Structure formats: C-alpha cells, structure tokens
C-alpha cells in the first residue's frame, strides 16, 4: 500500500483523482443506471425532434375506429359480422394483408345462437332458425380465411393458462455466431391473451401488438420478437411482413452480446435490432393522411385506391379506448400508428440502429479523451486546454450527429462529453488546491532563510524543490573487505599503490551494483552502501540486489586472480581479498538528507541498520552473503537460499531469520541434497536434539564444502557443543544473540 501511495504521489494527486474518476465513470456506463440511460435517450429524442423522419413512402393504411365511427356504428366491440364485412371490402379493394391492433379474446355475444338463448318470448320455430344460422365468429373466420389476415395478441403481466398445442404458432430458428447456441435474451411476459381458436386457426398469422414504453413513458423501441407465456411470439408488424413475404419462419440471428437481427422472406429481408430483439423506431410526426375512418370503409365511401397494394392495420384513435402513446416527436400518438411507422421504417430501410459496439465505442472514446486530458493538463496552459477541450466536444457532437443523420446510427456523445468535462473540472480544481497549498508551505518553510524575492520564485515554481524524503520499501546492501588492515600493511610504503588497489576494487564492485539497477549511497573507506527501488522504481529490487552480490563475488574472484598473477610476476607475497555482504529489505525513508549547508540523497530506517548488522555477522558465520527474511522470501525461486539461524543482532530486541545465497536457480540441483539436510539440521537444533544435530552437521559439512560453507558448519559444531555443556533454559526459543555488532 505504501508503494502504491508513493506511485500515486509521483503520478500527481490531481491526475490520480482524475484517473479514478475516469474508471468510476466507465463502470457507471457499463452499469448504465436509469439516469445515465435517460440522458442518452433524451439526446436521441432531441435528434428526432430536430430531424424527424420524412415519410416518402406510405405502404400502410390505418382503418381507424375513431370517435365518428363509434358514434355512427355504436360502441366497441362491434358484431363480428361487421368486422367480417370490413375485411371482405378491404380485401376486394386490393389490400395485400390486414393486421388487427385489437384482440378477439371472447366469442361474439351477438351471434344468432347466443341471441336465441337470451331473447324471451321467441317461438320455437324462430329460435330454431336463429340457432341454425352460422355464428358471427364463423362469419369472421370465413372472411379471414379468404384474405391474408394477421390477428393481434397482447401480452399479460400475469401468468395465463398454458397454450393449446393445437393452435397455430409462428416458427422460429435461432442462429448464433461462431457456434453460439443459447436462447436469445428477449423481453419476457408471464401471460398471453390470444384470440378465440376459431379465428386463430383461420388467420394467416398472429402477432403481439404489445408496446412497452421506456421508464419515462416514451415509446422509442418496439420489440419485434418477445417471449409470452413461454412462447416466442413475433410482433404484429414483423408477422405482417412475414405473411406478405411468404416466409414460413422467422430467423433470429445472434452474436455474443445477444440478438443481432431478425430475417425472413425470399428476398432475405433482415431487420437489425438491439440485443433484446427491440427495434428503434425513427418516427415521423403524427399524420392524419395515414388514417381512413372505419365508418367510411363500411359505408363504401372510402376510395379503393387508398388500399390497393397496401398493408392495412385496423386500430383505434378514440380516446375512450385508451390506445394513445407518447413518442419522441408527439405526446399523443395512437398505438396503431406506432405499428404503421414501424412498418414504414422497416420497409423503407430507415429504422434506427444502436449497434452492439456502441457502448464499447462510447467507453473507448470517453477513455481516450479522458486520458488525453489527464496527460495534456500538466503540459498545456489553461486556455490551450480549454480550446482543445472545446474542439473535442464539438467533434464528439458532430460525429454523433453525422452517424444519426447520414447512417441512422445511434452513437451517444453525452457520456464521453460529460466524462471529459468532469475530468477537466477535477484537474482544474485539484491543481488550484495543490498550487495554493504548495505556495503556502514554501512561504512558511523558507521565509526565515531566503529573501522574499527568492521565496516568491520558489512559491511560483514549487516543482524545483523536493522537500524531505519519501517512504518506500527498499533493499539495502552493505559490503566490507575482510582483513583489509593486513592488506594495507603491504602498502605502508606505497600509499599510491593502496589507492590504486582500492580504486580497482571499488570499481569492480560498483559496476556489479550499478549493472543491476542499484544506487550507490556512499563509500566508507573500503565499505560500500547501496540501495534499490530509488530514485527509480524497481519491481525486482530484491532479485537485483542478490544478483549484484553474486556478481560482486565473481568480480572479486577475477580481481584476486589478476593480483595473484601480478604478485607472482613481481615476486611479492599475495593476500587475497574477501568481502562480506549483508542485504535486507524493508520500509525506509529516502530523499535529500543532511544540513542546510550540505546534504546527500540517502536512505534511513531500521531495515538499513539490519543490513549493516548482517554484513558484520558474515565474519561470525563464515559466509560471504547474509540476507534478511523479507529478501529471502522474495528471491526463493530465483536463487538457492539456505536458512542459517534465528539471530538477534546487537542493538535489536526482535530476532531475524537469516539466510545465505549459495547459487542461482539453475544451480539448485547441485545443492538440493544440502538444502534438505540443512533443514533437517535446523529442525534437530530447535528441537534440542543435540546428538542428531551434530551428526547432521557433519554430513552437511561434507556436502557444503564445495559451496564454501565448511566454516559455517564448524561454527555450528562449536555452538552445539557449548549448548551440550551448558543447556539452555526451558523457555529457550532457538534465538542466537549476537555478542558484537
């Protein structure tokens, strides 16, 4: 968490807040709650108000059960014989198909047989004649059978009885993309209200005229296929097109997002839908010329030319029959006209489409624009960023309008625009707060030490200063030359030679550190202090430090080989140089530290002190490298690491489990047996089984001789023998307390 906080601080608080806001906004768009959807839908409504569809073709005529028809012919429902006469007249006038935006769910109560049972005072002969007459439903069924009629059905919010198996149903085929084989996510209704079986059997098709408005009550999308009472059912409009085209079934095409389109007919008519099988309707304003009064059709006053070659819808605009809808272009449009406009849009190819990639495109645009603003905000000035943002906003609106106007595609610009605006305002606000805070801190910190002119310059350009240090998890390395005093005695008469030797040594060791991304903190005589993960981040800091340690030992071997050859050539005695290396990882503070006259970029912390103590303990344990537990845990897969002890170093109250590195991961096979035996030795040690521990140590010493661990196991032999002579207290926990630094 601290590392993340440091990264966020380096990235900038304003940018961080803006980036988090961008992520939150993207998640909000994916969630798409009602307010976000409503804003998008209102934008699409505005498009239709600005440029409503121009109805250049009129393939649909509406027979309107209007107020005048109700006054002339009586209240609805009318006798089915009257409806049959209407069907016959319209068929004779050349209509290609008739669709009913009403449902005949019950038998006609005015049929002769029913009337005979309800009329009182009839003689039996008259009653028998009435019962012998065909029912009104049979008359209507005959008229329907002589034409191409699609009967309307309606969805119910409550479950209805299971559908009869013998009633006709429209066939469907579901085709997936790349082998997709799932049911389409259609709008689903628990119940279905159908026409009486006599009429349904006579009809050429059956379709739902149910229209479900959006949450705000406006009709924008009409489902073309639905699930009702467990059945796939086409809409009235789609079923009419299927009947007219002569198709036997409707094809539902799907992709991974859901429904892609529906298709049917010999000419392969295909209608793009949203993922739930709904079609966006591109509305034109309400137009009375689409309507013919039902009374004019029944009286013969209607012009036959109006119906020739047209699809006819039978519905109502009468207020009392409650079939009025709100659309983006009209607050009160008859529901039957919505179906008519849907048919016009499908037949003229002017339906609107919200492509499956629309959400992804909106997210991508919002993300790119938001990231551009986050990246450019610190670079551009306020006015330049304002004009760039304005140009981006104009481009977003223009592209969205172009796709609507020219291609009938619905691409929302509001989400990218609002997202980028919020990010811009967030950056402006956080930058203001940051600048105000930094100027106040600088004036307070330096007002006593610098002239007012310099203080003001620093306040106006705070990026020139780095105040204090920052907390990081870092890996620290200490190295020191063993027996350096003895080596220095050889150069007591040649101080320049000693200087040259030290330069050769420190150069070799420094190169090994720097090559593995380390930072040299300081040289302390023949000792080196280095660290990783500052000033640049290093995700592999522990591994780099351990690799640097091994390379330091390898560099020292090469240097000793060169010195041996030089000493033999000159006839001088040769003393090899050895180093001890301590490495530890932990939280530190790094930054410019020192006095007001002199400061260095350095690191402080308990982890630093422990690394120094580990380096000094390499003498006691007879190994070249000691590392702390946190370092060992991070590099266990990359190096062959052996646990040595549970050590409490001088000056600390808590013990540290310490380890050594005997090789890299590719050398692990050679030390596998030693690692297992070493673990067994430590287990005996902590269990106070001194005899088995000694036996195991001797075996370890033989295996560890090649790895240079003989001195370490000799150390353990002496320690165990002392513990045998002076057994530890009953509460002994295996911690070895170092007696010196």
């Amino acid at each position: 968490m601290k590392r993340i906080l440091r990264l966020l601080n380096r990235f900038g608080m304003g940018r961080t807040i803006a980036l988090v806001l961008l992520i939150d906004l993207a998640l909000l768009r994916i969630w798409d709650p009602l307010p976000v959807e409503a804003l998008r839908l209102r934008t699409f409504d505005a498009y239709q108000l600005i440029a409503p569809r121009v109805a250049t073709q009129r393939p649909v005529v509406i027979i309107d059960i209007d107020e005048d028809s109700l006054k002339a012919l009586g209240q609805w429902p009318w006798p089915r014989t009257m409806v049959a006469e209407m069907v016959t007249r319209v068929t004779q006038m050349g209509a290609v198909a008739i669709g009913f935006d009403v449902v005949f769910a019950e038998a006609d109560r005015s049929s002769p047989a029913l009337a005979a049972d309800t009329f009182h005072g009839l003689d039996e002969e008259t009653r028998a004649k009435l019962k012998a007459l065909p029912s009104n439903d049979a008359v209507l069924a005959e008229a329907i059978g002589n034409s191409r009629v699609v009967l309307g059905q309606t969805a119910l919010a409550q479950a209805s009885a299971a559908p009869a198996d013998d009633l006709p149903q429209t066939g469907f085929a579901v085709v997936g993309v790349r082998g997709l084989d799932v049911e389409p996510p259609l709008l689903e209704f628990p119940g279905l209200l159908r026409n009486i079986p006599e009429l349904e059997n006579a009809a050429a098709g059956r379709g739902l005229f149910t229209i479900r408005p959006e949450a705000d009550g406006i009709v924008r999308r009409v489902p073309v296929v639905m699930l009702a009472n467990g059945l796939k059912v086409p809409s009235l409009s789609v079923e009419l097109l299927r009947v007219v085209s002569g198709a036997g079934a409707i094809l539902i095409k799907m992709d991974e997002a859901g429904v892609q389109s529906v298709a049917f007919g010999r000419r392969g008519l295909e209608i793009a839908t949203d993922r739930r099988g709904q079609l966006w309707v591109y509305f034109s304003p309400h137009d009375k010329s689409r309507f013919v009064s039902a009374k004019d059709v029944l009286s013969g006053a209607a012009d036959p030319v109006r119906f020739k070659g047209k699809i006819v819808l039978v519905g109502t605009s009468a207020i009392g029959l409650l079939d009025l809808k709100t659309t983006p272009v009209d607050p009160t449009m008859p529901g039957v006209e919505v179906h008519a406009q849907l048919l016009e849009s499908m037949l003229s190819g002017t339906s609107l489409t919200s492509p499956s990639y629309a959400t992804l495109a909106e997210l991508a645009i919002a993300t790119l624009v938001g990231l551009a603003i986050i990246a450019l905000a610190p670079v551009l000035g306020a006015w330049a960023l304002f004009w760039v943002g304005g140009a981006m906003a104009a481009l977003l609106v223009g592209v969205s309008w172009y796709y609507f106007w020219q291609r009938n595609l619905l691409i929302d610009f509001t989400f990218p625009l609002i997202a980028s605006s919020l990010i811009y305002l967030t950056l402006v606000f956080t930058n203001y707060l940051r600048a105000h805070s930094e100027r106040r801190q600088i004036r307070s910190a330096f007002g006593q030490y610098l002239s007012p002119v310099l203080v003001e310059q620093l306040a106006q350009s705070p990026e020139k200063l780095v105040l204090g240090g920052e907390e990081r998890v870092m890996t620290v390395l200490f190295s020191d030359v063993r027996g350096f005093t003895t080596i220095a005695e050889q150069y007591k008469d040649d101080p320049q030679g000693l200087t040259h030797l030290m330069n050769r040594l420190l150069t070799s060791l420094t190169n090994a550190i720097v090559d593995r991304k380390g930072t040299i903190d300081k040289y302390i005589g023949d000792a080196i202090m280095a660290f990783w993960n500052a000033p640049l981040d290093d995700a592999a800091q522990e591994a780099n430090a351990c690799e640097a340690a091994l390379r330091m030992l390898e560099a020292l071997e090469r240097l000793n080989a060169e010195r041996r050859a030089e000493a033999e050539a000159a006839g001088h005695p040769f003393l090899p140089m050895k180093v001890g290396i301590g490495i530890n990882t932990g939280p530190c503070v790094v930054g410019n530290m020192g006095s007001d006259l002199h400061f260095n970029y350095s690191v402080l912390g308990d982890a630093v002190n422990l690394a120094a103590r580990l380096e000094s303990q390499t003498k006691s344990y007879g190994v070249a490298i000691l590392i702390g537990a946190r370092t060992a845990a991070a590099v266990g897969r990359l190096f062959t690491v052996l646990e040595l002890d549970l050590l409490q170093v001088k000056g600390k109250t808590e013990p540290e489990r310490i380890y050594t590195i005997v090789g890299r991961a590719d050398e692990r096979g050679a030390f596998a047996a030693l690692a297992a035996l070493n673990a067994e030795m430590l287990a005996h040690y902590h269990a106070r089984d001194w005899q088995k521990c000694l036996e195991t140590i001797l075996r370890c010493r033989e295996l560890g001789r090649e790895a240079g661990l003989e001195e370490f196991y000799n150390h353990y032999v002496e320690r165990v023998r002392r513990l045998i002579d002076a057994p530890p207290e009953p509460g002994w926990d295996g911690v070895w307390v170092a007696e010196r630094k």
Side-chain angles (χ1 to χ4, degrees):
M1 180 60 67
K2 292 178 181 178
R3 182 179 296 180
I4 292 173
L5 291 175
R6 286 197 299 272
L7 291 173
L8 294 180
N9 184 60
R10 184 175 299 178
F11 185 69
M13 185 58 65
R15 281 176 159 180
T16 301
I17 294 174
L19 187 59
V20 171
L21 177 61
L22 179 59
I23 295 172
D24 290 342
L25 289 170
L27 294 175
L28 183 67
R29 177 62 184 88
I30 295 172
W31 177 31
D32 201 23
L34 186 59
V36 175
E37 183 184 26
L39 180 62
R40 181 171 65 257
L41 295 177
R42 291 292 185 178
T43 302
F44 297 156
D45 291 351
Y47 283 171
Q48 296 205 47
L49 283 171
I50 295 170
R53 181 175 61 86
V54 178
T56 57
Q57 301 179 26
R58 291 296 174 84
V60 182
V61 176
I62 300 171
I63 296 179
D64 189 12
I65 306 171
D66 56 4
E67 300 287 353
D68 292 339
S69 299
L70 295 177
K71 289 178 182 178
L73 303 173
Q75 68 179 12
W76 182 265
W78 297 332
R80 303 284 162 82
T81 52
M82 192 180 297
V83 178
E85 183 181 355
M86 183 190 303
V87 171
T88 301
R89 285 179 178 271
V90 171
T91 303
Q92 291 172 350
M93 286 188 284
V96 297
I98 302 170
F100 279 90
D101 189 31
V102 294
V103 63
F104 305 104
E106 298 175 349
D108 190 346
R109 295 180 181 180
S110 62
S111 291
L114 294 176
D117 291 333
T118 57
F119 291 158
H120 298 287
L122 286 178
D123 57 86
E124 290 302 318
E125 181 180 356
T126 304
R127 192 182 303 276
K129 288 181 179 180
L130 287 174
K131 287 189 174 183
L133 293 173
S135 69
N136 292 356
D137 293 315
V139 173
L140 179 55
E142 183 179 2
I144 289 173
N146 293 329
S147 181
R148 287 197 291 187
V149 174
V150 174
L151 291 178
Q153 300 172 338
T154 184
L156 299 176
Q158 299 83 26
S160 56
D165 294 334
D166 58 344
L167 288 179
Q169 299 175 12
T170 302
F172 287 91
V174 179
V175 177
V177 176
R178 292 190 293 274
L180 189 66
D181 186 20
V182 296
E183 285 297 314
L186 304 173
L187 292 182
E188 187 169 357
F189 300 91
L192 175 64
L193 183 62
R194 306 182 69 156
N195 301 273
I196 59 175
E198 188 174 10
L199 300 181
E200 293 240 350
N201 285 318
R206 293 135 299 274
L208 280 179
F209 54 76
T210 300
I211 297 174
R212 191 171 75 172
E214 307 286 347
D216 56 3
I218 299 176
V219 175
R220 300 181 181 90
R221 289 174 283 190
V222 176
V224 297
V225 182
M226 291 156 273
L227 282 175
N229 201 21
L231 298 175
K232 292 188 186 71
V233 187
S235 71
L236 178 64
S237 304
V238 166
E239 183 71 348
L240 276 166
L241 290 181
R242 183 193 69 80
V243 169
V244 171
S245 67
I250 296 175
L251 187 66
I252 301 175
K253 294 185 177 181
M254 293 183 61
D255 60 11
E256 291 82 357
V259 180
Q260 190 178 36
S261 64
V262 295
F264 45 80
R266 296 184 182 91
R267 293 183 297 174
L269 180 61
E270 185 169 349
I271 302 167
T273 68
D274 69 6
R275 60 178 297 272
R276 303 201 67 185
Q278 300 179 101
L279 180 66
W280 292 84
V281 186
Y282 192 0
F283 286 98
S284 64
H286 169 62
D287 190 351
K288 292 183 178 180
S289 65
R290 291 189 177 96
F291 296 78
V292 176
S293 178
K295 69 178 182 61
D296 292 338
V297 175
L298 290 170
S299 66
D303 184 1
V305 176
R306 293 285 306 275
F307 298 90
K308 187 173 180 60
K310 301 294 180 65
I311 296 174
V312 177
L313 289 174
V314 181
T316 180
S317 66
I319 296 175
L321 296 181
L322 304 175
D323 190 25
L324 297 177
K325 309 295 182 183
T326 300
T327 70
V329 299
D330 201 303
T332 54
M333 179 178 288
V336 66
E337 189 176 9
V338 174
H339 291 292
Q341 295 217 32
L342 183 62
L343 282 166
E344 288 178 3
S345 296
M346 290 189 291
L347 289 171
S348 61
T350 55
S351 300
L352 297 175
T353 304
S354 180
S356 58
Y357 59 80
T359 301
L360 183 61
E362 293 160 16
L363 285 170
I365 293 170
T367 302
L368 290 175
V369 173
L371 291 176
I373 292 174
I374 293 172
L376 294 175
V379 179
L380 299 178
W383 278 108
L385 187 62
F386 175 81
W387 288 112
V388 169
M392 288 183 177
L395 181 63
L396 289 174
V397 176
V399 169
S400 178
W401 173 257
Y402 167 80
Y403 277 105
F404 169 81
W405 179 244
Q406 295 296 326
R407 302 191 178 184
N408 291 349
L409 293 178
L410 297 174
I411 305 294
D412 180 37
F413 73 86
T414 56
F415 173 73
L417 183 61
I418 291 174
S420 57
S421 299
L422 288 175
I423 289 170
Y424 171 78
L425 293 175
T426 299
L427 287 171
V428 169
F429 182 71
T430 55
N431 285 342
Y432 169 79
L433 291 181
R434 179 179 53 81
H436 180 74
S437 176
E438 288 177 347
R439 289 170 185 171
R440 183 178 59 197
Q441 291 176 4
I442 290 171
R443 289 189 181 98
S444 173
F446 292 93
Q448 303 177 52
Y449 307 105
L450 301 177
S451 69
V453 175
L454 289 177
V455 171
E456 190 60 32
Q457 288 180 359
L458 293 175
Q460 295 299 325
S461 302
E463 68 275 5
K464 296 179 180 178
L465 288 175
V466 177
L467 303 177
E470 62 173 328
E471 187 174 344
R472 286 173 172 254
V473 173
M474 300 181 65
T475 300
V476 183
L477 177 149
F478 281 84
S479 74
D480 193 14
V481 177
R482 298 284 172 258
F484 181 75
T485 301
T486 304
I487 295 174
E489 283 183 347
Q490 292 184 325
Y491 295 88
K492 60 183 179 181
D493 297 325
D494 184 14
Q496 291 293 336
L498 181 60
T499 301
H500 178 66
L501 175 62
M502 287 304 304
N503 289 340
R504 291 175 67 186
L505 171 67
L506 295 178
T507 297
S508 300
L509 302 185
T510 298
N511 288 340
I513 293 171
V514 173
D515 288 345
R516 297 304 300 177
K517 302 182 181 180
T519 298
I520 301 299
D521 186 298
K522 59 179 67 72
Y523 300 104
I524 311 168
D526 58 330
I528 300 175
M529 175 182 173
F531 54 79
W532 279 260
N533 203 36
L536 299 178
D537 294 332
D538 185 1
Q541 53 174 306
E542 300 92 344
N544 282 329
C546 293
E547 179 63 25
L550 292 178
R551 292 190 181 189
M552 290 169 71
L553 297 180
E554 292 166 356
L556 187 60
E557 285 184 15
R558 292 192 295 270
L559 179 61
N560 281 331
E562 295 172 2
R563 291 181 55 244
R564 180 187 297 274
E566 293 168 359
E568 290 176 353
H572 297 152
F574 168 70
L575 288 176
M577 289 190 293
K578 298 181 180 180
V579 295
I581 300 172
I583 301 173
N584 189 46
T585 303
C588 305
V589 175
V590 62
N592 289 329
M593 301 176 189
S595 69
D596 56 345
L597 298 178
H598 178 76
F599 61 86
N600 289 320
Y601 188 78
S602 188
V603 60
L604 295 175
D606 183 68
V608 180
N609 297 333
L610 182 56
R613 296 290 186 270
L614 292 178
E615 180 274 321
S616 66
Q617 289 299 316
T618 57
K619 304 174 187 176
S620 302
Y621 286 87
V623 295
I625 302 173
L626 279 180
I627 63 175
R630 188 163 179 174
T631 307
V635 301
R637 295 183 179 180
L638 303 175
F639 300 89
T640 302
V641 176
L642 287 183
E643 181 182 344
L644 301 186
D645 206 357
L646 188 60
L647 175 67
Q648 181 178 321
V649 299
K650 191 79 170 177
K652 287 183 65 68
T653 59
E654 295 182 1
E656 176 77 6
R657 203 169 296 276
I658 62 173
Y659 302 77
T660 189
I661 300 174
V662 296
R664 298 176 177 85
D666 56 1
E667 302 168 320
R668 186 169 294 161
F671 300 105
L674 175 61
L677 203 59
N678 186 81
E680 182 183 342
M681 180 268 290
L682 291 176
H684 292 320
Y685 175 80
H686 289 285
R688 306 189 191 193
D689 192 346
W690 310 124
Q691 190 58 41
K692 288 186 178 180
C693 184
L694 280 174
E695 293 173 2
T696 311
I697 292 173
L698 296 178
R699 292 164 60 196
C700 287
R701 185 168 61 184
E702 290 300 318
L703 290 176
R705 184 172 287 112
E706 182 180 348
L709 296 174
E710 186 175 8
E711 186 178 346
F712 162 69
Y713 288 114
N714 288 336
H715 163 80
Y716 251 86
V717 168
E718 295 176 5
R719 182 194 295 187
V720 171
R721 286 173 176 169
R722 289 201 300 269
L723 289 171
I724 292 173
D725 295 336
E729 298 293 332
W732 180 74
D733 54 4
V735 176
W736 187 261
V737 180
E739 299 176 355
R740 59 182 180 83
K741 293 184 178 182

